[in-house]
Amino acid sequence: MKFLVHTYGCQMNVRDSEAVEALMIAAGHEKVSDENDAELVIVNSCTVRQKAENKAVGKMGYLCSTGKMTGLMGCAVKRLKRDVFKVLPKLDFAVGPRAFGLIPQIVASLADKKPERDSKGAQILELGDDAVPTGLDAHEISGFKAFVTVLVGCDNRCSYCIVPDVRGHEYSRPEAEIVAEVESLVKNGVKEVCLLGQSVLRYGVRDGKTDAFPALLERLCQIKGLERIRFTSAHPKGCTDELVRVYRTYPQICRHLHLPVQSGSDRILKEMGRRYTRAEYLAAVKKLRDFDPEFALTTDIIVGYPGETEEDFEATRSLMEEAGFDNSFVFKYSPRPGTRSAKLPDDVSVEEKERRDQVLLADQERRGLERNSRLVGTVREVMVEGPSKRNAARWSGRDGGNRIVVWEGARPAGSVVKVRITEAHSQILIGELA
Ligand code: SAH
Ligand code: SF4
């Protein structure tokens, strides 16, 4: 069967979609890139904010009207449960975020469901709940970079977040399984892996282990040919001395962390249940920047959390300045059913959320430029990605800090080149081959 997977949401979803593609190809199906050619279309959905869910479900709704075989996977399925078929009556199957491994089997079973499919969708539902997902290690390797899921689910209960409800409790994959997966990727030409978990530094914590994540990093650093290791997302509680020691010891661990802070106001952080104060967060930042002043930090912010005052907002602005974020992603608060904060009045107006979003974006634009300007004249080690999308004469790649670097002159994708920076912009560095 010719199939296509559309993906919405986070990197975890991107990785799950890749695994589904690999499993489907292994089952004899053919991946196509044009929706018109596909006989089966799968949409991998997000529900972290209502708008994200609406986009994925809206796309699926359109696809259900085309007569193709259709499947919805991911977080929105787990939120909607059986109601997914009220919203999408012609849908053939829906699988939760821990059940994607069942898709090839479900697709095979649909061959016998022609009568059902002629009247409405076949409406097969597999929620998966807290199951250990199968197919986590399935890859179709197409480049030099790969995502590897190490921790599934989330045991933090941030007040606003639906992720623990939809992705279930934490499950840390055995180290040996992860090592075997990365070794096999490297044998097939992968040079950079990004380890994924909602709060990835909690790897092993549910099993009572301490510093299991730095130990995993150290083990992966022994793999010859693996040039770069990244991981996401991080939490300040996981920024231990042991993590810093491992950073110091192994240059292949990239000097970049995505360290979502959400707010700079202690009062809001407490209400969110983030388990750190502003001072504790900034102490983690200091630890990383003391070790490497160029350590790149990116973050997530929520604006307009219930009861967020102008003063709370200003505290977020000042924290962002103090932390010196290289990039940030700002989200407008969206109440999610079943979460603790959904019981609070969503009392910051849409206009005010929009204003706060714009203010933070403008701050980041200026700060990004300031931070990048400090790199002018330095030489960056850049892993080549390919020709730049905007200008084919230019090539682009990323430095260890995940900064985009652009220069003139073709170089093989996946190789590491030295680029002297000549020009800085807020989101990109320009330079020449050194
Ligand atoms: N596991 C990651 C976050 C996953 S969700 C972590 O904790 O690091 C990605 C981002 O979406 C969060 O960091 C948060 O900024 C945002 N987000 C989550 N729930 C939200 C909500 N209800 N409204 C607005 N933004 C939200
Ligand atoms: Fe959501 Fe918090 Fe878990 Fe991140 S750590 S997925 S924000 S509950």
Side-chain angles (χ1 to χ4, degrees), residues 4-67:
L4 178 74
V5 185
H6 283 298
T7 308
Y8 294 85
C10 65
Q11 282 136 322
M12 194 70 79
N13 267 12
V14 172
R15 170 65 201 124
D16 291 348
S17 292
E18 280 174 9
V20 167
E21 290 173 354
L23 293 169
M24 287 291 288
I25 292 166
H29 302 286
E30 182 195 344
K31 179 180 150 182
V32 295
S33 51
D34 186 338
E35 196 173 284
N36 297 314
D37 298 336
E39 299 155 273
L40 158 67
V41 184
I42 299 168
V43 171
N44 193 352
S45 61
C46 174
T47 187
V48 77
R49 288 167 295 277
Q50 189 59 44
K51 269 200 180 148
E53 182 180 301
N54 295 350
K55 259 198 223 163
V57 172
K59 176 79 182 175
M60 191 84 268
Y62 158 72
L63 288 163
C64 283
S65 70
T66 61

Side-chain angles (χ1 to χ4, degrees), residues 103-307:
I103 290 180
Q105 227 172 293
I106 294 173
V107 170
S109 76
L110 282 172
D112 308 327
K113 300 240 185 257
K114 185 139 185 359
E116 288 93 325
R117 292 203 59 230
D118 283 345
S119 55
K120 52 183 173 63
Q123 304 197 347
I124 298 169
L125 179 67
E126 292 286 352
L127 289 174
D129 292 329
D130 281 328
V132 174
T134 57
L136 277 173
D137 60 353
H139 286 269
E140 256 296 300
I141 301 155
S142 58
F144 60 90
K145 287 211 273 193
F147 286 128
V148 173
T149 300
V150 301
L151 175 68
V152 175
C154 185
D155 284 353
N156 285 336
R157 283 269 164 189
C158 302
S159 62
Y160 50 84
C161 188
I162 197 168
V163 170
D165 293 331
V166 293
R167 285 205 170 256
H169 71 57
E170 283 172 3
Y171 166 73
S172 297
R173 295 177 65 204
E175 185 182 284
E177 199 177 298
I178 297 164
V179 171
E181 180 174 337
V182 176
E183 276 173 345
S184 143
L185 288 168
V186 171
K187 258 192 216 121
N188 285 288
V190 167
K191 295 188 158 63
E192 175 179 320
V193 293
C194 180
L195 309 177
L196 298 179
Q198 291 301 333
S199 194
V200 73
L201 303 178
R202 285 179 56 84
Y203 176 77
V205 169
R206 193 184 168 94
D207 309 319
K209 298 179 189 153
T210 37
D211 284 326
F213 189 74
L216 172 67
L217 286 177
E218 196 154 29
R219 176 64 189 83
L220 294 176
C221 285
Q222 314 306 320
I223 299 175
K224 289 221 164 49
L226 180 59
E227 294 183 26
R228 283 183 170 182
I229 303 177
R230 302 184 186 278
F231 46 93
T232 196
S233 290
H235 185 283
K237 278 232 187 309
C239 298
T240 59
D241 292 341
E242 178 59 8
L243 183 72
V244 174
R245 183 192 68 77
V246 174
Y247 264 123
R248 251 186 234 287
T249 316
Y250 300 98
Q252 60 268 57
I253 306 175
C254 292
R255 272 58 169 150
H256 164 237
L257 263 194
H258 185 61
L259 195 61
V261 65
Q262 316 298 358
S263 170
S265 151
D266 275 334
R267 191 181 68 82
I268 297 285
L269 286 173
K270 189 152 189 235
E271 294 216 357
M272 287 178 163
R274 288 292 294 177
R275 302 183 302 115
Y276 52 79
T277 60
R278 174 190 177 102
E280 283 164 344
Y281 183 91
L282 288 169
V285 169
K286 182 167 186 304
K287 205 178 208 174
L288 298 167
R289 291 258 169 82
D290 278 352
F291 141 67
D292 179 353
E294 283 177 14
F295 199 104
L297 283 173
T298 55
T299 203
D300 291 342
I301 303 284
I302 296 176
V303 289
Y305 184 81

Side-chain angles (χ1 to χ4, degrees), residues 45-100:
S45 61
C46 174
T47 187
V48 77
R49 288 167 295 277
Q50 189 59 44
K51 269 200 180 148
E53 182 180 301
N54 295 350
K55 259 198 223 163
V57 172
K59 176 79 182 175
M60 191 84 268
Y62 158 72
L63 288 163
C64 283
S65 70
T66 61
K68 294 179 194 290
M69 189 182 279
T70 50
L72 188 69
M73 61 183 274
C75 297
V77 172
K78 188 68 198 301
R79 187 183 88 74
L80 292 165
K81 303 197 172 68
R82 191 137 294 277
D83 283 352
V84 72
F85 300 118
K86 283 194 193 139
V87 188
L88 299 162
K90 290 197 165 161
L91 187 64
D92 290 312
F93 66 89
V95 297
R98 292 167 90 129
F100 64 79

Side-chain angles (χ1 to χ4, degrees), residues 317-370:
R317 283 185 82 185
S318 71
L319 175 130
M320 291 178 79
E321 202 53 39
E322 272 183 62
F325 291 121
D326 294 276
N327 205 353
S328 51
F329 302 88
V330 182
F331 303 104
K332 287 171 232 161
Y333 173 73
S334 161
R336 305 310 291 130
T339 60
R340 271 181 287 135
S341 70
K343 297 189 187 78
L344 304 171
D346 181 11
D347 55 1
V348 179
S349 69
V350 177
E351 296 74 30
E352 184 56 18
K353 283 178 186 164
E354 179 62 30
R355 188 192 69 85
R356 291 179 188 178
D357 182 14
Q358 290 304 324
V359 169
L360 296 188
L361 282 177
D363 284 356
Q364 185 59 53
E365 196 57 24
R366 175 192 41 77
R367 185 171 45 242
L369 178 59
E370 274 167 23

